[in-house]
Amino acid sequence: TQLLEQSPQFLSIQEGENLTVYCNSSSVFSSLQWYRQEPGEGPVLLVTVVTGGEVKKLKRLTFQFGDARKDSSLHITAAQTGDTGLYLCAGAGSGGGADGLTFGKGTHLIIQP
Amino acid sequence: EAQVTQNPRYLITVTGKKLTVTCSQNMNHEYMSWYRQDPGLGLRQIYYSMNVEVTDKGDVPEGYKVSRKEKRNFPLILESPSPNQTSLYFCASSSSTQTGGFYGYTFGSGTRLTVV
C-alpha cells in the first residue's frame, strides 16, 4: 500500500504570511494532485503535476513535484483568509488514476485576519 | 452543470438495516470511486470502477458492495450496516485525457452516515 505523509497537520498563520505544506512518500507516483476541501463539501481539485521537477502556479499558490516523483510541496504567498481550508495531496499509482487515488491525511490551514 | 450527485446527504440508520447510497455523474466519466473520510484517518478508498461492469476493491472494502450497470451510476450498498461504518462518504468520478493521463477527480458533496 502506498502512503502519503502530509506535514504539518495543522497550521494557523496571520494574513499576509507565506507558508509551505509538504507531501512525502517512499513510493513513486505517476502523478500527484492537490485538492482543497471546505467543511461539509467534497474535495475540489487545484492542480495535477505529472513530470518530476514540475512546477505549476495558480495565482498565489505554487506546486512542485519532486524530481523522483515521490514528494510534492504547496507554497502559498501572502496568505489570505479565503485560503482557509483542508488541503489534501493525492497520488495516482500504477493504474494512472483509473483505479483511484491514495490520499494524505491533509493539512488544516487557518488564516487569521 | 457538470457534477457528481450523491443521495442522501444525511442518513441515520440502525444496525443491520440494508441501505444504498446513490451516486450519479453527468460527465460521461469512465472512472468512479467511493471513499470514506474519518477524523485522523483521512480519505480511504472503498471500491472503484474503471468502466461499466468493471469494479474492484479499494483499501477498506469490508462490509460494502458496489455495482456499475450504467456508466453514470455507481451505488454503494451496505448490506448490514454496523456502527463502525459511521462516516462521511464521497463518490468521485474522472476520465482519461487524450494523451493517456487522467483528469482530476470530481467529488460529490458527501453523505454523512450514522449507524446506531
Side-chain angles (χ1 to χ4, degrees):
Chain A
T1 303
Q2 297 177 304
L3 293 174
L4 276 167
E5 301 280 344
Q6 271 188 253
S7 61
Q9 264 190 291
F10 298 94
L11 184 58
S12 178
I13 63 172
Q14 295 295 124
E15 195 169 28
E17 293 182 3
N18 302 332
L19 67 105
T20 303
V21 175
Y22 299 94
C23 179
N24 295 297
S25 176
S26 58
S27 304
V28 175
F29 291 97
S30 59
S31 67
L32 200 137
Q33 301 188 326
W34 285 89
Y35 291 80
R36 181 179 157 195
Q37 185 178 14
E38 303 273 4
E41 295 298 327
V44 175
L45 178 70
L46 295 174
V47 77
T48 300
V49 285
V50 179
T51 307
E54 183 177 3
V55 176
K56 280 192 174 178
K57 291 194 174 187
L58 191 66
K59 295 183 183 177
R60 293 175 294 100
L61 279 60
T62 302
F63 304 86
Q64 184 160 8
F65 202 11
D67 290 341
R69 290 187 289 128
K70 293 182 179 182
D71 54 84
S72 181
S73 63
L74 157 60
H75 182 79
I76 301 179
T77 302
Q80 299 176 356
T81 55
D83 295 327
T84 292
L86 175 64
Y87 289 81
L88 298 160
C89 65
S94 57
D99 53 352
L101 301 170
T102 297
F103 280 85
K105 292 182 180 179
T107 294
H108 294 266
L109 177 62
I110 297 173
I111 309 300
Q112 313 232 15
Chain B
E1 180 190 353
Q3 59 186 1
V4 176
T5 303
Q6 290 180 232
N7 280 297
R9 284 294 305 270
Y10 302 91
L11 178 61
I12 301 174
T13 190
V14 295
T15 299
K17 186 177 181 181
K18 181 180 179 180
L19 68 92
T20 299
V21 183
T22 63
C23 174
S24 181
Q25 49 96 1
N26 62 0
M27 296 165 282
N28 200 38
H29 285 169
E30 309 98 273
Y31 316 140
M32 297 186 77
S33 283
W34 275 103
Y35 294 87
R36 59 178 291 174
Q37 188 173 34
D38 301 287
L41 296 176
L43 278 157
R44 295 178 293 165
Q45 189 183 48
I46 303 170
Y47 268 94
Y48 65 92
S49 169
M50 295 174 72
N51 217 321
V52 176
E53 302 291 1
V54 180
T55 64
D56 208 345
K57 296 176 181 179
D59 297 318
V60 288
E62 295 77 22
Y64 305 95
K65 285 174 60 176
V66 293
S67 68
R68 187 97 182 269
K69 295 186 173 63
E70 308 162 283
K71 199 170 187 179
R72 62 183 295 125
N73 295 323
F74 190 42
L76 179 69
I77 303 153
L78 285 71
E79 294 269 0
S80 182
S82 62
N84 65 11
Q85 291 178 298
T86 292
S87 187
L88 180 58
Y89 291 86
F90 289 102
C91 179
S93 73
S94 182
S95 65
S96 56
T97 68
Q98 292 185 340
T99 54
F102 91 106
Y103 295 108
Y105 277 82
T106 300
F107 281 78
S109 296
T111 296
R112 186 166 292 281
L113 172 66
T114 301
V115 183
V116 297

